[in-house]
Structure formats: structure tokens, C-alpha cells
Amino acid sequence: MTGYTMLRNGGVGNGGQTCMLRWSNRIRLSWLSFILFIILVFFPLIAHYYLTTLDETDEAGKRIFGPRAGSELCEVKHVLDLCRIRESVSEELLQLEAKRQELNSEIAKLNLKIEACKKSIENAKQDLLQLKNVISQTEHSYKELMAQNQPKLSLPIRLLPEKDDAGFPPPKVPRGCRLHNCFDYSRCPLTSGFPVYVYDSDQFAFGSYLDPLVKQAFQATARANVYVTENADIACLYVILVGEMQEPLVLRPADLEKQLYSLPNWRTDGHNHVIINLSWKSDTQNLLYNVSTGRAMVAQSTFYAAQYRPGFDLVVSPLVHAMSEPNFMEIPPQVPVKRKYLFTFQGEKIESLRSSLQEARSFEEEIEGDPPADYDDRIIATLKAVQDSKLDQVLVEFTCKNQLKPSLPTEWALCGEREDRLELLKLSTFALIITPGDPHLVISSGCATRLFEALEVGAVPVVLGEQVQLPYQDMLQWNEAALVVPKPRVTEVHFLLRSLSDSDLLAMRRQGRFLWETYFSTADSIFNTVLAMIRTRIQIPAAPIREEVAAEIPHRSGKAAGTDPNMADNGDLDLGPVETEPPYASPRYLRNFTLTVTDFYRSWNSAPGPFHLFPHTPFDPVLPSEAKFLGSGTGFRPIGGGAGGSGKEFQAALGGNVPREQFTVVMLTYEREEVLMNSLERLNGLPYLNKVVVVWNSPKLPSEDLLWPDIGVPIMVVRTEKNSLNNRFLPWNEIETEAILSIDDDAHLRHDEIMFGFRVWREARDRIVGFPGRYHAWDLPHQSWLYNSNYSCELSMVLTGAAFFHKYYAYLYSYVMPQAIRDVVDEYTNCEDIAMNFLVAHVTRKPPIKVTSRWTFRCPGCPQALSHDDSHFHERHKCINFFVKVYGYMPLLYTQFRVDSVLFKTRLPHDKTKCFKFI
């Protein structure tokens, strides 16, 4: 225990010693800290006191730390630079102060000028208001004077005859029916709109005998016709279909006549009725030969002289394509001009003229004098001699190798099937058509079928027999598409065909193709042509052509758009006035009630467009359906005169024969809102701009919170039914100007470029005037056409992503151009610009006009467009070759012509060859 206790005590003693050591260490640290504090505080004070005492001595030269003079300080070497900087800054401050005072004085002067300008502006506003009042009063006085001198002309009141009207005295001779004595004009006033009532054949007994396909095709085209009405009381014309019958002679003439006279609106004599008999399979049906048709017109393909009434009845084309459109891929091209055979003929005549006259007793009563000479034997001998001479390769066969079709007496029957005949005609430059030997057979369905097939494949028809009545002969000038040679001149036919030049031959082939497509090819074209002929005869204007009604998408306009300096900064160049008045539409079409009188033949024998788009003539939009514009669409008449001048006077006004004109921008877009807004803002301040039509090509509507720029003119956002590039060329009713600037939403054009293009278009209104040029080329190894976008001094197309064209071409593109072309555009979502170039070149036979040296127009930084796709060019190659198939030839024309302004500075890369510039 003692040891344990000692240990514990010893342990306690050692612990106390340790604590003492710790305490002493703490005292030492505190002492050291106190000493250091004394040193750090008092030592500087003592040093400061000592140094201050030294400087207070009487000897100033011995002062070490006191302040020195400026000259003495500059003597120090290391502060010399600081002195120079101080002096330089002082000088600059003095200069800035002087400038500030000078600017203050100028600001004061400018403020005075601003006040003076404000006062002058107020005075000018007052003067402008007074001028507006004077102008308003003058316009009011002018209207009053015009009202006094030109009383209002209202439409005449339409007087409809009673339903059971007795009519007027019949002609003395049944064949003496003409319009003046067999047609009731009182039912068809000029302002009636030419309403047509079509009977439903199924409601009558003879309707059950009609061929179902013919009846279906006729009913389909009648439902879609613009003139057809369901109100028989107001109708001007009544149409009834009686053929073709399923079986020949299934209905006796007396029964058919009785059923015709029982029609609800026949009115005892059938005036203002048209009886249509369409030939499809049979070439021998003449249902109406022994039928008394009264005052009703007859339209069919077979007529005897006893039943044909010139200027009253109509010779129509056979219905070959009943319910199908022509297959353009099977139609041969129009070039080369010369084909394998100079001319061909295949046919067989079962009965001669003499035997026909002896056996057909029903015709003997109609023959006066001696029987006419039968030239068929001479024709056979002459054509065989030409074939045997082997001067030219010809093919004539007077005996059918295959089964021949039934034919009328003295008529040359068709040989074989239609496909076999077309294959031979595709190899023929000319196609002989020998008319029947019976002179009393005015026209037969077999001859009309031969004519149809020749025009379809581009073989120029040569008709032997001038007595024949060709389809629509009183309206069409057949001498532009066919040769009609009297039979006695058969010995001169070979010489005549050899004497035709290639250019004349190609022109006849093109005209024949136009006539076939317009008046013969389908049931719709035949029915429209029949109505158009009757309407033209009685001088009733055509119905206005349909315009696309714009379904506007509501949108909000934001603040006024700024002007892109790159777009509008033209220096001293005055591009023209920015319109501050309401938009000015092109003059409206005013010749609807006189065109059928003044332009009778031109309307029927011209391809639409090129012959009606020259300056100094009113704009006559003649379409195959004879439809005319009632909306916008003239402007080719002089309106005042240009004031001449040059320089600023020329820049500030359009001048010319139409010194006041505007254009409409049509912009196609698809879900690129930011790009679209930027493009619209760039149009702010553009002179002569009427409005902007934005074609919204997406099913998804624009964002509701999207703010559209206010560019000073209306912006119409149009919603489309489907996403189609064809929507770019729809004739929207909101387009009230003739000039259309078609532009992509990412096109980047300056204002001066647009105005220059507009001026050039006004000098060539029938052509496409644009900026990016392209051309087509022949690929010799593959024997096909290629689309080329390389830089070139020669071009044949102008892209419609930035181009001016006439609104007339929008109608042609949408309603007249073959549907097959628009279908290909939708299939590829491409080539609509190529299609428009093909159309205009085909119509005008002129190339487009390129302005400026610009070859591209895409804006930098815009999202990628469809044209950047790898398949873009391959599709365009295919489009060009398909369009050539449809048109039958390559309509595009090369040109080296380019229009540049002397105000432009053309920049070309050093590695590119310079092109000629035509100014």
C-alpha cells in the first residue's frame, strides 16, 4: 500500500511540475508579445520625431525629407516621364473643352433649325390638307359631270317566254333551218350567262339503249360544266344525248322521233334544243337520218347532205377516249420532222359508188343530174405508182390484212385494231384520208376517226376530197393543220407533200396537236366545244374564268418593320415613290360583250396566249373553253403618256404607255416563320408594291403569338388545301394586278434589283423576267435531256423563285396546262418552275429574260431548302424529259440575251468567262 501511495504521490508531483512549465511558457510568450508591440509602435514614432527635427534646422539645403520645388522635382530622373504625361493630358483636356463648347454652339443652332422645320412641316401639312380638299372637290365635280353626260347603264330586264309558247312560223323547207329562223334568241340575252339544261337520258325510254360508257362519260362532263343549270325554266339551251346505242337499229326512227317530241321542253318544234349522237365503237350508226328533228340542232359525226344544215348543225369528233385521259407517254414526239414513211394509207372499200347509187334507192331521189365521177380507181392507180417508183418510202394498202371495220357505202373502211393503226401512223409524216365516193355523204364517222388518229400521233392529215365537212369547220381554220386536196389533183399530191418545208411541216404538226388536245381528245373537250360553238354563234360572251378564292388566315400585325440597309440603301438612286395611297389594281377587263364579234376566228384557231399579249392590244385571255376574265386582267391599253425625261425624272416615275402600275408579291412558304418574317421585313419601303400574298403551304397554321411586320401594304396569308408547289401559281382572287413577282421565302434581293426587273417586265409583258438563269442540255450518251445550273452565258430558263410573270399564265398553268404535268410536280415536290418555263415558251415561242448578273438568290444563314437535297437534280432531269413527252417536243429556247442596268456593277470571278451584256 505504501509503495502504491508513493507512486501516486510521485505521479502527482511530476504532474505539478509539468503545469509549472506550461505556465512559465505562457508568461514568456505574453512578455515577448508586449515587447514586440512596444517596438512596433514606439519605434516609428521616435523615428518620425527625429527626422522631423532634422528638417527644421536653419540650413535649408540640408533638408532631406521636406517638400521640394517643382523644378527640383523634375530633376529627378525617374519622374520625368510622369511629367510629360501630365503635360500631354492637360493639353488634351484643353482641346476637348474647346470642342465641347463648339459642339454646344452647333447644337444650339440645330435646335433652332429643328424648330423652324417643325413650323414648315406644320405649314406643309396645312397646305397638303387644303390640296386634298381641292382634289376631293374636283373629283366630286368630275363624277357629277360624268353622271350628267353618261347616264347609268343597267342590265336589260330578261323576259322569259312562257313554257307553252307556240313558237314562230317554221321554215318552208325542213333543211332551211338557220339561226335566224329556227333559234329563239329571246331565251338567250347577252347577260343571261348562257344557261344550259341537260336532260337525264335515263328518264326516257331510249336511255336504256344507250351505251353505258358513253352515257357515263357524258353525264360526268355535264355535271362539271360551268354553264349547266338544273332550272329548265331559265335555260337558253337544252341538250339531250341519244347515241351511241349499244346495238344498231335497236330503236326505230319513228319511235325515237316520238320520244323526242315528248320531251318536257320540246315546245312542238324543239327550238333551242341540241341532239347529240356520239360515235364510239360503231362507224355506221346514223340514228337521226330518217328522224324529223324540227328546229333542234344535231351534233354527230356522220351526216348526209339531206340532213345536214350548214351553219346550224354541228359536225363533232368521235368519242375515242370515253372515260380516260390521253396517255402522253405513248404519244410520239413531234420531232424529228421527217419520219420513216412520207405518207401512208390503209383501207378497203367494199362497195363502189355506182353500185351504191343503184342499190340505195333512198338516195336516188336526192340526186340531181348525172351521177358524179368515181375517182377512187384513179386514186388507187396513182398512189400505187408513187409506191412503185420508190422515190420516197410510202405505204399504201387497199386491202385489209386484218379484219376490217363495218363502214357506210362508198366509204373506205378502217383496217385492224386501233393500236395497229396508231403504230403505223407514228412512222408516217403524212396520213392520207380518202373521203367517201358518194358526194351526198358529207362526213362519216370513219373519216373523222382517221382524222382523230392522225392528229393524235402527229401525222399531218391529207384529205382527198374538198366536199367533206371537217369537224367544227365553220370555226377552225383547218388549212393550218391539214391539207385538203381535191380528188382530181391526186396526181399532184406527191409533189405537194415534197414541197413542204420542215418549218411549215412542224408548224402544222404543232397546230394539229393543239386542235386535238383542245377540241377532240376527251369527252369534256367535245362537250365544251359544242357549247362554245353555239354560244359563239349567238354572240354570248363566255363565263368568267374561275379564280381561286383565297381562304385568309387571320394574323396580327406588329410594329412597323424596319428597313434592311442592305435592301434599301441605294445612295442617290431614287427607285420610285412608295405608295401612300390605297393599292392600285390593274384596269379590269371590259370587252366581254364584244369579244365574240371582234375576235371571232382568232379565239378558236390560236394557242392561248402569244397572239394576245402584245402591247397596244387589249389583254384577251382566250382559253380553249373560251372563258374570259371579269376580274383583273387587261392593262395593255394606253393610259396617258410618259413625260419623257432622264435621270431623276426617269427614276421617279414608270412612264411609258401605262405610267401607273403596281405588282403583287406571291411568296410560298412552309413552316419557316423566322425566315418568312425576315423576308417580309425586307419588302418594307418597296415602291410600286400593291400587296403581298403569302401562300401558307403547310397544314399546320402559323403560331398564334406570331407578330407579322407592318410593311405599309396589305399582307394576305392564304391557306391551301394541300401541300403542293403548284399552289405558287394559283390565280388567287386577291391578286389584283397583272404583274406578279413570284419569290421564295428565303430569296434575298435588293430593292433596286426588284425595281429594275419590274421595269424590264413592263417592256416584255408576255415573258418571264427573273434573276437566276438555268439551261437544258442534251445528254448524247443517254439520249435524254439534262437540267443544268452551272454558270453559263447561255440560258433557257429563269427560276420562278425570283421572277416576274403575267397573271394570265397563272390561269393557263392551273386550268389549261395538262394535268399530268401538275401531277408530276406533286409527285416529286419539285419542278414547278421548270413547268412554268415550259408553258410560257410553248405559248409564246420566246425565251425568258434574265436581268442582272445574279445567279443565286439564297439568303446566308437561312435553313436548308428542298433544292439542297441530293435527289433534287435527278428529279429535275426526269421532269424535263417527261414534260418533253407531254408537249411532244422541247419548247425551251436558248438565249444569250441579258438585261443589265448601267447603274449596276457586275462582278464576275476571275476564273469565269465574261458574258456579253445587252443594255
Side-chain angles (χ1 to χ4, degrees):
M1 289 296 292
T2 307
Y4 179 72
T5 305
M6 290 299 292
L7 285 172
R8 295 187 57 169
N9 294 333
V12 173
N14 292 334
Q17 186 178 1
T18 302
C19 291
M20 292 297 293
L21 291 174
R22 293 177 179 174
W23 180 78
S24 61
N25 289 335
R26 290 177 180 174
I27 294 176
R28 291 175 185 172
L29 291 174
S30 300
W31 176 252
L32 290 174
S33 300
F34 177 75
I35 293 173
L36 289 174
F37 175 78
I38 295 299
I39 293 172
L40 293 175
V41 173
F42 288 98
F43 181 75
L45 295 176
I46 295 172
H48 181 268
Y49 175 77
Y50 174 73
L51 293 175
T52 305
T53 304
L54 291 177
D55 285 338
E56 290 178 355
T57 58
D58 294 337
E59 296 180 2
K62 293 182 179 181
R63 287 182 299 168
I64 300 175
F65 298 100
R68 295 171 178 259
S71 59
E72 295 179 358
L73 183 62
C74 292
E75 293 177 358
V76 182
K77 185 176 183 180
H78 65 276
V79 295
L80 293 177
D81 294 336
L82 295 177
C83 294
R84 287 195 297 270
I85 292 173
R86 185 187 64 179
E87 294 175 356
S88 176
V89 170
S90 300
E91 293 178 358
E92 291 180 359
L93 290 175
L94 293 175
Q95 293 176 0
L96 290 175
E97 179 63 21
K99 289 183 179 180
R100 187 182 69 83
Q101 295 177 358
E102 182 179 356
L103 290 175
N104 287 334
S105 61
E106 291 182 358
I107 291 173
K109 295 179 181 179
L110 291 176
N111 288 331
L112 295 177
K113 291 183 178 180
I114 290 173
E115 294 296 330
C117 290
K118 288 181 178 180
K119 293 181 180 179
S120 62
I121 290 174
E122 292 296 330
N123 296 332
K125 287 182 178 180
Q126 295 295 332
D127 296 340
L128 180 61
L129 182 60
Q130 294 177 1
L131 290 175
K132 287 183 177 181
N133 293 333
V134 172
I135 293 174
S136 177
Q137 294 175 1
T138 305
E139 290 179 350
H140 183 70
S141 302
Y142 174 76
K143 291 179 180 179
E144 289 181 349
L145 291 175
M146 293 295 294
Q148 294 175 2
N149 298 327
Q150 296 182 0
K152 293 183 179 180
L153 180 64
S154 60
L155 295 177
I157 299 175
R158 184 177 182 184
L159 300 177
L160 295 176
E162 297 294 336
K163 185 176 182 180
D164 54 350
D165 58 335
F168 38 91
K172 296 181 180 180
V173 182
R175 291 183 54 194
C177 255
R178 299 295 184 269
L179 289 175
H180 68 277
N181 58 2
C182 288
F183 191 85
D184 186 5
Y185 281 89
S186 65
R187 298 195 64 88
C188 306
L190 291 175
T191 58
S192 64
F194 193 59
V196 177
Y197 180 78
V198 179
Y199 289 101
D200 185 3
S201 300
D202 293 333
Q203 297 180 358
F204 307 98
F206 61 85
S208 59
Y209 302 112
L210 292 175
D211 187 283
L213 194 59
V214 174
K215 182 167 58 176
Q216 182 182 358
F218 180 80
Q219 291 175 349
T221 186
R223 285 193 299 267
N225 193 275
V226 67
Y227 297 105
V228 173
T229 178
E230 297 181 356
N231 188 357
D233 296 334
I234 66 171
C236 163
L237 198 69
Y238 302 87
V239 179
I240 182 67
L241 178 69
V242 298
E244 170 178 276
M245 296 291 181
Q246 299 184 56
E247 298 293 338
L249 303 179
V250 70
L251 188 64
R252 294 185 305 172
D255 295 337
L256 178 59
E257 180 179 332
K258 183 178 180 180
Q259 295 181 33
L260 289 177
Y261 276 73
S262 65
L263 293 176
N265 300 281
W266 188 261
R267 298 185 181 89
T268 69
D269 57 5
H271 60 272
N272 291 43
H273 276 66
V274 180
I275 305 173
I276 299 180
N277 177 24
L278 297 177
S279 299
W280 183 43
K281 292 182 179 179
S282 175
D283 293 333
T284 60
Q285 286 192 19
N286 189 3
L287 303 175
L288 302 172
Y289 180 71
N290 290 319
V291 176
S292 175
T293 57
R295 287 192 172 95
M297 301 179 188
V298 177
Q300 60 182 14
S301 300
T302 301
F303 277 104
Y304 282 96
Q307 65 180 136
Y308 180 67
R309 296 164 291 185
F312 193 73
D313 293 328
L314 295 90
V315 179
V316 300
S317 171
L319 182 61
V320 179
H321 299 288
M323 292 297 294
S324 61
E325 294 288 335
N327 187 356
F328 292 101
M329 300 304 293
E330 296 180 357
I331 299 177
Q334 298 184 25
V335 289
V337 178
K338 299 294 180 61
R339 298 178 179 176
K340 179 179 180 180
Y341 298 107
L342 178 63
F343 62 84
T344 58
F345 177 81
Q346 283 183 325
E348 183 173 347
K349 187 170 67 171
I350 304 300
E351 191 175 11
S352 65
L353 173 61
R354 189 171 301 278
S355 61
S356 171
L357 295 177
Q358 292 174 355
E359 296 177 4
R361 300 298 181 183
S362 59
F363 301 134
E364 289 182 356
E365 300 175 357
E366 303 166 9
I367 300 175
E368 299 178 359
D370 297 331
D374 189 355
Y375 288 98
D376 289 350
D377 295 337
R378 186 185 303 177
I379 291 173
I380 294 173
T382 302
L383 296 182
K384 283 186 175 179
V386 174
Q387 184 178 20
D388 295 338
S389 67
K390 297 183 179 180
L391 295 176
D392 288 293
Q393 194 169 0
V394 299
L395 177 62
V396 291
E397 295 178 352
F398 301 103
T399 302
C400 292
K401 298 179 181 179
N402 301 323
Q403 183 180 5
L404 70 157
K405 298 186 66 176
S407 62
L408 296 173
T410 73
E411 181 186 15
W412 289 91
L414 295 168
C415 296
E417 298 297 329
R418 165 177 158 82
E419 291 74 15
D420 299 330
R421 297 194 300 270
L422 291 180
E423 289 301 322
L424 179 61
L425 290 174
K426 290 177 182 179
L427 303 176
S428 307
T429 305
F430 296 93
L432 292 185
I433 301 174
I434 305 177
T435 59
D438 185 1
H440 299 91
L441 185 57
V442 176
I443 182 64
S444 66
S445 180
C447 285
T449 301
R450 290 181 182 273
L451 179 65
F452 181 96
E453 293 176 351
L455 295 176
E456 181 179 5
V457 297
V460 178
V462 180
V463 182
L464 290 178
E466 81 284 359
Q467 81 282 357
V468 68
Q469 287 289 329
L470 297 179
Y472 322 122
Q473 184 166 331
D474 53 346
M475 296 290 180
L476 302 181
Q477 293 180 343
W478 277 105
N479 61 322
E480 296 180 356
L483 295 174
V484 181
V485 183
K487 286 185 177 180
R489 293 189 180 275
V490 64
T491 57
E492 302 173 319
V493 168
H494 186 208
F495 167 78
L496 178 62
L497 301 185
R498 288 283 301 270
S499 64
L500 282 176
S501 64
D502 290 352
S503 58
D504 292 338
L505 182 56
L506 183 59
M508 296 182 71
R509 184 174 293 168
R510 290 187 62 247
Q511 182 67 8
R513 175 70 175 271
F514 165 73
L515 296 180
W516 176 78
E517 289 184 359
T518 308
Y519 305 114
F520 295 83
S521 58
T522 62
D524 186 67
S525 61
I526 294 175
F527 184 68
N528 288 337
T529 303
V530 170
L531 297 185
M533 285 190 64
I534 299 174
R535 182 187 51 74
T536 306
R537 283 176 175 177
I538 62 178
Q539 300 180 0
I540 292 182
I545 191 170
R546 178 172 60 91
E547 289 191 307
E548 292 294 325
V549 179
E552 184 178 5
I553 300 176
H555 59 280
R556 294 187 303 162
S557 297
K559 63 180 181 179
T563 302
D564 188 345
N566 295 324
M567 297 292 101
D569 186 10
N570 303 293
D572 296 333
L573 181 60
D574 186 2
L575 300 179
V578 179
E579 301 296 339
T580 56
E581 60 181 358
Y584 175 75
S586 297
R588 301 175 71 84
Y589 188 75
L590 300 175
R591 295 184 59 212
N592 292 284
F593 298 105
T594 58
L595 182 70
T596 54
V597 179
T598 58
D599 298 328
F600 184 78
Y601 281 105
R602 186 176 67 172
S603 303
W604 282 82
N605 296 279
S606 302
F611 309 97
H612 313 287
L613 291 172
F614 293 115
H616 311 300
T617 60
F619 177 55
D620 301 339
V622 179
L623 303 181
S625 60
E626 293 300 293
K628 301 294 181 291
F629 299 105
L630 280 178
S632 64
T634 88
F636 289 161
R637 62 176 61 86
I639 306 176
S646 61
K648 186 175 182 180
E649 292 80 4
F650 173 78
Q651 297 167 11
L654 287 175
N657 295 321
V658 189
R660 188 185 184 194
E661 188 174 16
Q662 296 177 344
F663 62 91
T664 302
V665 168
V666 176
M667 186 176 295
L668 187 71
T669 186
Y670 186 89
E671 296 184 3
R672 300 200 295 180
E673 295 179 353
E674 182 179 357
V675 176
L676 175 63
M677 296 302 107
N678 292 334
S679 297
L680 291 176
E681 288 184 358
R682 287 195 293 268
L683 298 177
N684 185 33
L686 181 61
Y688 305 112
L689 180 59
N690 181 273
K691 70 173 61 171
V692 178
V693 177
V694 177
V695 181
W696 190 264
N697 221 23
S698 170
K700 180 181 177 182
L701 296 180
S703 303
E704 295 182 358
D705 57 348
L706 182 64
L707 289 179
W708 295 69
D710 183 4
I711 60 175
V713 297
I715 296 179
M716 174 72 66
V717 186
V718 178
R719 184 177 185 178
T720 59
E721 296 181 356
K722 64 175 183 178
N723 178 20
S724 173
L725 293 180
N726 293 314
N727 296 332
R728 179 194 297 272
F729 302 124
L730 285 174
W732 302 104
N733 61 341
E734 293 295 332
I735 302 176
E736 299 177 322
T737 61
E738 295 181 15
I740 295 178
L741 173 59
S742 174
I743 191 169
D744 288 340
D745 58 358
D746 57 356
H748 201 266
L749 294 174
R750 300 193 306 269
H751 287 187
D752 57 333
E753 292 176 314
I754 295 176
M755 293 313 305
F756 180 62
F758 181 49
R759 286 181 178 273
V760 173
W761 177 85
R762 283 165 46 84
E763 301 293 334
R765 307 174 75 90
D766 60 333
R767 299 163 77 174
I768 300 177
V769 176
F771 299 88
R774 300 292 185 265
Y775 66 97
H776 66 289
W778 180 251
D779 184 7
L780 191 59
H782 298 87
Q783 294 294 298
S784 62
W785 293 102
L786 295 177
Y787 171 84
N788 203 314
S789 62
N790 295 330
Y791 289 88
S792 172
C793 293
E794 195 169 57
L795 60 101
S796 60
M797 292 176 281
V798 166
L799 300 187
T800 55
F804 285 92
F805 63 90
H806 202 287
K807 186 182 179 182
Y808 177 50
Y809 294 123
Y811 294 96
L812 294 184
Y813 185 98
S814 302
Y815 305 139
V816 178
M817 188 179 69
Q819 179 64 36
I821 296 180
R822 294 190 291 272
D823 292 340
V824 168
V825 171
D826 288 336
E827 178 183 355
Y828 292 136
T829 317
N830 199 345
C831 308
E832 85 286 356
D833 48 357
I834 301 178
M836 178 59 82
N837 278 271
F838 266 70
L839 174 66
V840 177
H842 171 67
V843 169
T844 63
R845 303 305 302 135
K846 297 177 183 179
I849 296 179
K850 173 177 169 52
V851 292
T852 78
S853 61
R854 179 185 288 271
W855 203 260
T856 59
F857 52 84
R858 300 296 178 188
C859 63
C862 292
Q864 191 174 16
L866 292 174
S867 59
H868 293 110
D869 191 359
D870 294 338
S871 61
H872 176 75
F873 285 94
H874 297 288
E875 293 171 349
R876 294 174 86 80
H877 299 328
K878 295 178 182 179
C879 288
I880 285 185
N881 287 280
F882 178 78
F883 296 165
V884 170
K885 276 285 187 181
V886 173
Y887 284 100
Y889 73 110
M890 169 54 75
L892 297 179
L893 299 173
Y894 293 107
T895 180
Q896 299 176 5
F897 183 83
R898 193 184 86 199
V899 182
D900 283 345
S901 171
V902 294
L903 301 177
F904 276 71
K905 295 182 178 179
T906 303
R907 297 181 178 89
L908 292 177
H910 297 291
D911 58 342
K912 304 297 180 182
T913 304
K914 291 186 177 180
C915 306
F916 290 102
K917 294 187 297 180
F918 298 88
I919 301 176

